[in-house]
Amino acid sequence: MNGSFDDWDMRAACVQALGQLRATAARDRLVGMLADDQAEVRLQVLLALDRIDPEGLRQLPDLERLARERDHWKIADMAKRLIREAKAREFEGAAATASGGTQTANP
């Protein structure tokens, strides 16, 4: 390691620390890092965003791309799980809205 931030392991460690600290101010920068060249960095970004902004993470369009990840199976698995969770929440919300709108009072 040459001490440069160009080292992928240093970027991964920094991202991991931001997630552990739940550093909400870093959210937008982390989203940008989902395109990092190194798979381990992308994985740490997903894990950090899941701690910092789990609902926002599930709405990111990048999840579809990450679900097709070939460099790192953990990234693809996590992205697929997040997509499933988002779809389940959408379904639950739609079902709750539908059931709430069709209830009638008993005379």
Side-chain angles (χ1 to χ4, degrees):
M1 177 165 32
N2 65 11
S4 169
F5 198 66
D6 290 337
D7 293 329
W8 71 265
D9 55 343
M10 181 63 74
R11 291 193 311 275
C14 290
V15 168
Q16 185 179 37
L18 290 169
Q20 290 172 347
L21 293 170
R22 290 184 168 87
T24 57
R27 182 199 178 280
D28 292 340
R29 178 68 189 252
L30 290 171
V31 169
M33 291 181 75
L34 285 170
D36 195 278
D37 291 339
Q38 290 293 324
E40 185 61 30
V41 174
R42 293 190 303 274
L43 177 62
Q44 292 303 321
V45 170
L46 279 175
L47 294 169
L49 287 171
D50 198 29
R51 292 185 72 140
I52 293 170
D53 184 14
E55 289 305 314
L57 174 60
R58 285 163 182 77
Q59 304 305 316
L60 288 177
D62 285 334
L63 286 181
E64 294 291 338
R65 177 182 54 82
L66 293 169
R68 295 184 302 272
E69 178 79 42
R70 296 191 187 273
D71 293 342
H72 203 296
W73 64 270
K74 287 183 181 178
I75 294 171
D77 283 355
M78 184 170 184
K80 288 173 188 174
R81 176 182 59 84
L82 292 166
I83 291 168
R84 281 192 311 269
E85 289 174 3
K87 288 180 180 177
R89 287 187 177 149
E90 286 177 23
F91 178 76
E92 290 170 2
T97 301
S99 69
T102 59
Q103 293 177 349
T104 57
N106 290 333

